[in-house]
Amino acid sequence: MDKDQFYPLDSIAALATPWGESALAVIRVSGGDSLELLDPLFQPASAAVASLKAMAGHTLHRGTISTAGGEGASEVIDDVLVAVYRGPKSFTGEDGAEIFCHGSPLIIRRLLGLLTEGGFRFAGPGEFTLRAFLNRKLDLTQAEAVNEVVRAKSDRARAIALNRLSGAIEGKIDQIKQAVLRLSAAVELGLDYGEDEIEDGASLPSDEEAALCQEELERLLATYRIGRLYQEGISVVLAGRTNSGKSTLFNRMLREDRAIVSEVHGTTRDYLEAVVTIDDVPIKLYDTAGFRERADRIEEEGIRRTDGIVAAADLVLYLVDAETGLTSQDEEFLSRRGEAGRLIPVWNKIDAPGAGQDRCPPDFVAVSARNGRGLETLSHLIVERVFNGAGTVDAGEPIIDSLRQKHLLERAVRGMEDFRTGLRDAQPLDVLAVDLKEVLDALGEITGEVTSQDILNQIFAQFCVGK
Ligand SMILES: Nc1nc2c(ncn2[C@@H]2O[C@H](COP(=O)(O)OP(=O)(O)O)[C@@H](O)[C@H]2O)c(=O)[nH]1
Ligand SMILES: [Mg+2]
């Protein structure tokens, strides 16, 4: 696509670090004129630096940024370092700079003000990465990965996103595309020669090759669930009667005292939410109000909310107090919510005198939220349930985690299926060619070779400003 047709490539500026007080803040600028625009605002500390706009790429300069002299006196806003980048050897592919200033909101505001007065425009979300894409520094899967690296909530998610950033998906897609192009070439050849001349089927593409392509596409598609798990994680709800030890277990899994633990029934009246990481899977953990027969109004509301959370959770840990043993309420819950795979019954307080592990029903996990016994088994079980049915992938294999990529891969698979059906039913070659075109279009959209402005806007709108 023609980038200039859709996007203004003026000079943009944005804060790349969070707002607030910090040791340092980084302001990023990019665009063909950015160094010229920055130049009058920057006074180099070294006499050896004549002007910023004359500096080579990948160089660092100390100096001050001041308001323009003009009528009044010029005022120094901050003492800064400026890193100069030169296109095309820069992240965006354009000339640009990063200004390292002191992390004061006041300074940041003044500097951004000076920059906009000086001709820069505030960058939109993801606009730097968008430019990197438009300048072919990144394909679309890599551009998406930039955001995923920032958003990664666990080490594994970060590693997977970095793999994508290095172009792993683009490489895989390209490999499949080459195979589809070979099929397509065979069909085109048939079209050139006319159907009669290839009656014997000599140059028709084989279903075997097509089946291989489809398999590869499906394999990549199947990694979506795993990608999502590492990126988004799952929600796990602690449920059970009041006093079964939900808040104690919640705190122990968090390794901090967030929830109030008390022997008074109904202490947790609303719900609490926190993220813990088990085996690199982010787990959104909920502590809820418990169930009991006689509850007051506030508690009833808490219980009503609990029902909602339980219904929406990926996994429910149902705690039973080993001292009390199973009550009819527990049994009712377990039979009502016992959907396969979504429930882990937990037998808590095995440390308590007279609540020995031997009384633990066979399908329960025996734990002590108080002293931590059995928690490792519980963690393993949670992870096992999480990955149940998600399949596995080899290390280094690309994993997709964008819904956009998933939909496009599904489209490619459908195209491939249509092609194979057509091949089997001896459909005319031009019909087969259309099916393959559909596959190629979908693959091209994944990497961004063919993309509409709407789609780009949608993708980059999810980015932070400054990225
Ligand atoms: N002995 C023992 N007591 C526990 C254990 N877990 C929780 N308790 C106690 O049970 C009571 C209720 O715990 P809490 O976490 O508030 O239960 P919740 O109502 O389900 O949130 C508190 O007095 C806890 O100290 C455990 O593993 N062993
Ligand atoms: Mg509680």
Side-chain angles (χ1 to χ4, degrees):
M1 62 180 268
D2 182 6
K3 63 186 184 191
D4 305 318
Q5 197 183 325
F6 294 119
Y7 293 99
L9 293 174
D10 50 348
S11 290
I12 49 172
L15 178 67
T17 43
W19 267 104
E21 275 179 34
S22 57
L24 292 173
V26 179
I27 292 172
R28 198 176 200 187
V29 300
S30 187
D33 299 328
S34 52
L35 294 172
E36 278 75 12
L37 294 178
L38 199 55
D39 195 68
L41 305 172
F42 180 75
Q43 300 79 45
S46 156
V49 179
S51 79
L52 212 51
K53 65 179 180 222
M55 292 300 113
H58 293 95
T59 56
L60 197 61
H61 308 280
R62 165 112 190 260
T64 52
I65 290 191
S66 310
T67 56
E71 301 278 293
S74 142
E75 182 195 358
V76 174
I77 305 297
D78 197 12
D79 191 328
V80 302
L81 277 178
V82 176
V84 170
Y85 301 103
R86 291 283 179 187
K89 279 186 161 176
S90 62
F91 174 74
T92 56
E94 305 170 324
D95 284 355
E98 278 160 9
I99 304 167
F100 300 87
C101 61
H102 292 99
S104 138
L106 203 76
I107 291 176
I108 295 166
R109 196 166 295 130
R110 293 289 303 270
L111 290 182
L112 286 174
L114 276 183
L115 292 172
T116 47
E117 279 164 34
F120 286 96
R121 169 173 62 79
F122 277 127
E127 204 170 349
F128 292 89
T129 313
L130 170 64
R131 288 188 177 192
F133 166 71
L134 294 173
N135 288 321
R136 299 183 191 285
K137 303 290 292 185
L138 303 167
D139 86 305
L140 209 45
T141 66
Q142 289 171 298
E144 284 175 296
V146 168
N147 204 25
E148 286 152 11
V149 170
V150 176
R151 282 174 36 228
K153 289 185 193 68
S154 73
D155 265 342
R156 186 75 211 276
R158 175 196 49 74
I160 293 171
L162 270 181
N163 190 29
R164 273 195 292 266
L165 185 57
S166 74
I169 293 180
E170 188 191 16
K172 185 88 209 164
I173 294 290
D174 199 55
Q175 191 191 324
I176 300 173
K177 205 172 94 184
Q178 294 310 320
V180 179
L181 280 172
R182 280 196 296 277
L183 292 173
S184 189
V187 171
E188 297 293 332
L189 194 72
L191 277 172
D192 285 349
Y193 276 89
E195 313 244 340
D196 323 335
E197 290 165 71
I198 53 156
E199 212 54 326
D200 53 11
S203 78
L204 263 185
S206 75
D207 181 60
E208 226 169 287
E209 254 178 286
L212 268 171
C213 283
Q214 189 179 332
E215 220 171 87
E216 289 280 314
L217 287 168
E218 280 169 347
R219 248 172 94 93
L220 193 56
L221 188 55
T223 64
Y224 179 74
R225 261 206 75 191
I226 297 175
R228 277 336 286 168
L229 282 178
Y230 281 118
Q231 191 66 269
E232 297 278 286
I234 59 158
S235 57
V236 175
V237 171
L238 298 172
R241 282 166 51 83
T242 53
N243 257 28
S244 54
K246 299 178 294 296
S247 297
T248 309
L249 185 61
F250 180 80
N251 287 336
R252 184 163 275 279
M253 289 175 81
L254 251 64
R255 298 187 185 86
E256 62 180 88
D257 282 343
R258 270 280 299 279
I260 299 169
V261 171
S262 156
E263 69 280 0
V264 178
H265 282 260
T267 315
T268 314
R269 290 168 170 231
D270 201 342
Y271 66 87
L272 291 173
E273 185 187 326
V275 176
V276 292
T277 306
I278 302 179
D279 275 12
D280 279 322
V281 179
I283 309 261
K284 205 177 263 175
L285 196 63
Y286 295 91
D287 180 21
T288 61
F291 304 99
R292 66 172 165 153
E293 289 85 15
R294 289 176 46 227
D296 63 28
R297 288 258 304 284
I298 300 175
E299 209 185 328
E300 261 172 21
E301 174 60 18
I303 293 172
R304 205 181 55 73
R305 287 188 195 181
T306 299
D307 255 348
I309 300 168
V310 165
D314 294 312
L315 203 56
V316 179
L317 304 186
Y318 189 85
L319 272 70
V320 171
D321 185 339
E323 277 187 303
T324 330
L326 272 174
T327 66
S328 56
Q329 239 183 335
D330 294 328
E331 274 163 0
E332 195 224 297
F333 183 97
L334 291 170
S335 63
R336 189 161 51 93
R337 291 266 175 216
E339 301 119 90
R342 217 173 63 94
L343 187 79
I344 299 181
V346 178
W347 191 251
N348 185 34
K349 307 196 189 181
I350 50 171
D351 63 285
Q357 234 182 71
D358 44 322
R359 282 179 47 205
C360 174
D363 50 341
F364 277 61
V365 188
V367 305
S368 162
R370 179 167 285 179
N371 68 19
R373 260 188 61 205
L375 285 195
E376 214 165 300
T377 313
L378 182 60
S379 294
H380 282 314
L381 205 61
I382 291 173
V383 171
E384 202 182 285
R385 287 289 172 84
V386 167
F387 284 101
N388 195 14
T392 51
V393 283
D394 300 335
E397 209 180 314
I399 292 176
I400 63 163
D401 112 345
S402 121
L403 193 61
R404 186 189 73 86
Q405 291 170 19
K406 174 179 181 267
H407 287 329
L408 288 168
L409 281 172
E410 283 167 349
R411 216 178 99 193
V413 168
R414 274 197 307 274
M416 215 59 222
E417 280 169 350
D418 289 347
F419 171 74
R420 293 179 62 198
T421 311
L423 203 59
R424 205 174 40 236
D425 299 348
Q427 291 275 336
L429 288 176
D430 47 0
V431 172
L432 297 180
V434 169
D435 292 333
L436 289 179
K437 172 97 184 1
E438 171 69 7
V439 177
L440 288 170
D441 280 352
L443 296 180
E445 263 192 56
I446 293 177
T447 55
E449 259 172 90
V450 267
T451 312
S452 73
Q453 193 187 8
D454 278 353
I455 289 170
L456 289 183
N457 290 345
Q458 219 177 330
I459 291 173
F460 289 98
Q462 295 164 19
F463 278 57
C464 339
V465 170
K467 197 74 214 82

